[in-house]
Amino acid sequence: MITLEEMPNIGDVLATRLRAAGIETPQELKRYGACLAFEKALLSYPDACVNMLFALEGAIQNIRWHQLSSSTKKELRQFYEEVKPTT
């Protein structure tokens, strides 16, 4: 079984943020999906940016986030615009 840190795009900081949001394993991240995991992380880290959302989706797909398709990035960016905290 791999750890969060062994997934693409997930380093120590993002893994810590996921664990603070109650997501402990890669299996849990995959079960939640990138959008719900991002929403959970926003509760503790309102400074989370769209790149975090891209990183989560890339980790779930087992690719670097830069390799996400344009359509996936567009969908994720639209989701981000709907859920990001307003200042």
Side-chain angles (χ1 to χ4, degrees):
M1 179 187 294
I2 67 169
T3 65
L4 289 170
E5 292 87 350
E6 293 174 287
M7 297 179 81
N9 313 310
I10 300 186
D12 294 336
V13 173
L14 183 49
T16 297
R17 288 182 173 204
L18 288 170
R19 289 186 181 106
I23 300 169
E24 300 285 334
T25 66
Q27 293 77 15
E28 289 177 336
L29 175 57
K30 290 174 184 177
R31 189 173 65 243
Y32 281 112
C35 293
L36 183 55
F38 183 80
E39 283 185 296
K40 289 175 70 66
L42 272 178
L43 296 174
S44 300
Y45 300 97
D47 64 332
C49 67
V50 71
N51 288 337
M52 179 180 171
L53 183 56
F54 291 166
L56 294 172
E57 181 62 30
I60 290 167
Q61 292 188 29
N62 199 35
I63 60 173
R64 295 288 298 155
W65 71 265
H66 305 90
Q67 296 172 319
L68 291 171
S69 70
S70 297
S71 61
T72 297
K73 286 181 184 177
K74 182 179 177 180
E75 289 172 17
L76 292 172
R77 194 174 303 277
Q78 287 172 339
F79 173 80
Y80 174 77
E81 291 299 323
E82 292 172 10
V83 301
K84 73 177 180 179
T86 56
T87 55

